[in-house]
Amino acid sequence: MAGRRPLSTCWTLFLSLVILLGCFIIPGVSVKHENFKKCSQSGFCKRNRAYADDVSAKGASWSSPYELDSSSIQFKDGQLQGTILKSISAEEKVKLPLVVSFLESGVARVVIDEEKRINGDIELRHNSRARKERYNESEKWVIVGGLELSKSATVESETEAGVTKVLYGPENAYQAVIRHAPFDVEFKRDGQTHVQLNNKGYLNMEHWRPKVDAPEGDDEQKPEQEDEGTWWEETFGGNTDSKPRGPESVGLDITFPGYNHVFGIPEHADSMSLRETRGGSGNHDEPYRLYNADVFEYELNSPMTLYGAIPLMQAHRAGSTVGVFWLNAAETWIDIVKTTSTANPLSLGVGSKMDTQSHWFSEAGQIDLFVFLGPTPQEISKKYGELTGYTQLPQHFAIAYHQCRWNYITDEDVKDVDRNFDKYQIPYDVIWLDLEYLDDRKYFVWDPLTFPNPIGMEEQLDDTERKLVVLIDPHIKNKEKYAISEELQSKNLATLNKDGEIYEGWCWPGSSHWVDCFNPEARKWWKSLFKYEKFKGTLSNVFIWNDMNEPSVFNGPETTMPKDNLHHGNWEHRDIHNVNGITLVNATYDGLLERKKGELRRPFILTRSYYAGAQRMSAMWTGDNQATWEHLAMSLPMVLNNGISGFPFAGADVGGFFHNPSKDLLTRWYQTGIWYPFFRAHAHIDTRRREPYLISEPHRSIIAQAIRLRYQLLPAWYTAFHEASVNGTPIVRPQFYAHPSDEAGFAIDDQLYLGSTGILTKPVVSEGTTTAEIYIADDEKYYDYFDYTVYQGGGKRHTVPAPLEKVPILMQGGHVIPRKDRPRRSSGLMKWDPYTLVVVLDKNSEADGTLYVDDGETFDYERGAYIHRRFHYQDSALSSEDIGTQGPKTADYQKAMANVRVERVVVVDPPKEWQEKTIVTVIEDGAKIASTASIEYYDQQGGKAPYAVVKNPNVSIGKNWRIEF
Ligand code: NOJ
């Protein structure tokens, strides 16, 4: 037999080869399209698109049937009220109450409802107990302020007949031109039209009508009759929606004349600059859809719906940003079409010759639209945040690195991972437990065999200031002797089906019920479950992950709940679907606030499903992505888009959820993930373990370096979070946001700025790439973060070396960047560490920066317990000035921080004369005499800027001081 292998050996070899190859080949996975509706399969989407097509086809021969009854118009206290009449026939007109509110903030709000439904003057089919009104409570979940009516808004007296003009906004420089017949509205700023409603004539309020059964065989006699095929019932994927109120959708066209780019309306796996949706090369042929859903193996470059929805769209052109917010919680689709501008002859320049027309339609509810006239992206962030709330300032640990996988399998496993991070000197702050920590998938109950000692585990984590996050989903296992399930049922706190019985569906635990957080009693109960005495085995370092809250229902239509399910108050699920997820987060948030009397800590919650307003309570991530380079690349526009849409605490699963990343991909993903405001590694249960310390060298060290870089910059990150929490600004910012007048940068969504620090990075997101082509907009000097190589020249791309071990980062001249350079095991352990300030000089030898610090844990900052400084370099001196507002807790906090000092100041690109300098003068407020500190100048060759280092100036971070060079 010599020379021949036995058959079994051959087989073993063959199989090994197959397995080995299998490790490198990622199976081609993609979404099951048949599980999710296309527009043509959704009755109201099809109807509204057809309506638009019909209107366009008829052209000038067509006139919108909506007319504002001139005699109904009243204007009082910043609010215009009237009735729009929809002509059904010469005799029949449907009354649609209109309210246009002009808010003190300069935002306008347009609400259109339907009188018959408001009065309950309609008949429901199938003996349904659903509510008759159009849903008008989204506001309750979403809006937290900014609704004060303008005191100065007035109706312009000299107007043509059939037009009402309202002056409003700052110095009454805005104008709403409301044309009565047909009804349309133009919003003007400084005499120019920026937003138009119904100028295309797509306004469509599907009024209530009774179902009239046509006599059999009658069809031919009524050729003009509308197609009622989707009015009264709709079936998809074997599920039939009973639609007790018949057709009730609302639709409206919103045009941005002269605007070439529109951004926003997350969540979609697509470019940040939204594409056209009516076909054509590079365009979509489906509208962008907003219908929160658990889309398994979602596809990229797609307008398909995903887990969350924020119906905020902003239109941008050089020098102007405007926006609209469509407050409607029902399923919504948005078509986008761009045309050459005829309406706006003032719009000049190659990139701005376009009008962008958007067409919005929702299945139910009112038209409730907020119009923002900018004129800057920052103004949109601010005003939208005033309405829906700003990002909650998170606990400090939450902005550090999170280690997750499905699943750490025992408490010993968790402790072991914890020890390994320390052994390999890789910092992390939070470890996560997915589903499998539970006993039989019963939320709030630990598996007694695998997690016998959760408290011991949490105590070990606490030794290094680390935290634990555990998963709590909204579906409750339908099981006897499970107290939570029994209470949910006996107290009637669950969502009901259309017949008013408790709704049962399938999710992780098998047969389940869903807590109905629209019910105040359910919220009260849910809140109570987080108390330490109730959720046994949790300490104060435990936080919550709300997953599957779209809600995901494995056997439901489109993997969610039937639309005719009923919630508290008899609202149909159809009415509230997109806010459903945040009602759970809201209750969880309150629960975390009330775990123990007197213990007030900022909650941390991660949510998968979201709507406008979620930013006040939670962080989000982009759900179940895949370990591919394409998914890595897509994470950037997705995170950036969330940021400009008011929900910046966003991230994507580092490493990719499904499948096993190659070592290079994992490394590049960490180097990208350090720029997500929410930075968490996560992996599916079927993947191989990939904690960074398990990866072989050199990748392990490269990943560790990347994580340390995040930790080094945490002071800058926390400052950016603070800015988001008071101004709504994105934490990481796209090019257009940082350079709103540079047209060439508007579509760039693969590089980002960190807060206001001037740090610009373009992570490497493609295989084998070793350079980054970073686009620079302005004429400032930009310096390589690590070696100060200079890049200068606006309006073009610069090649920055980016071998595997290097994250390509530039610093824009003109900034002071706060850092903490001492590596530690967790961010909690860095609390008292000294600061390094990097002063990057601009063309005029000046620089500016801010730092915000507080205890990172409590709400004491609301009472002044924080440090907020402005650093300014000018005329050869760096100064620190207080920009905070004093509160009752300021003095104590300042005292506690007195010993936290600046240990190093690095000045990038100082004047040559500094070569001679050996000391600088340091003047700290309150110090009797000025002191000195040593300075060293480092000359550099080969395109690298010189730099100087002041060693230990020893000034307190919270005090006023000045360093004279
Ligand atoms: C779905 C989530 O998207 C994923 O991150 C999680 O691991 C699984 N649910 C299991 O809980």
Side-chain angles (χ1 to χ4, degrees), residues 507-521:
C507 206
W508 297 124
S511 169
S512 304
H513 301 309
W514 274 259
V515 57
D516 179 17
C517 286
F518 290 88
N519 180 349
E521 286 305 311

Side-chain angles (χ1 to χ4, degrees), residues 330-390:
E331 179 184 351
T332 299
W333 301 74
I334 302 133
D335 262 321
I336 295 171
V337 172
K338 298 181 185 183
T339 56
T340 308
S341 181
T342 45
N344 197 345
L346 289 176
S347 65
L348 300 170
V350 185
S352 59
K353 275 194 183 148
M354 297 282 198
D355 287 350
T356 299
Q357 294 160 10
S358 59
H359 179 200
W360 302 62
F361 29 97
S362 297
E363 186 179 14
Q366 314 166 305
I367 286 184
D368 188 350
L369 183 79
F370 293 80
V371 179
F372 306 84
L373 290 183
T376 60
Q378 286 76 5
E379 282 287 320
I380 309 277
S381 305
K382 179 84 188 163
K383 299 284 155 70
Y384 171 77
E386 236 167 78
L387 290 166
T388 63
Y390 298 113

Side-chain angles (χ1 to χ4, degrees), residues 406 434-435 471 508 545 547-548 608 621 623-624 653 657 680 682:
W406 179 14
D434 205 325
L435 265 185
L471 183 89
W508 297 124
W545 176 10
D547 189 14
M548 313 294 275
R608 192 172 71 175
W621 91 111
D624 299 346
D653 284 349
F657 180 66
R680 183 188 73 154
H682 184 38

Side-chain angles (χ1 to χ4, degrees), residues 57 73 196 210 273 281 286 424 438 505 516 569 591 681 707 845 866 873 939:
I73 300 172
Q196 294 167 301
S273 178
S281 158
E286 286 284 306
Y424 289 91
L438 296 163
D516 179 17
I707 300 176
S845 283
Y866 64 86
Y873 183 94
D939 204 6

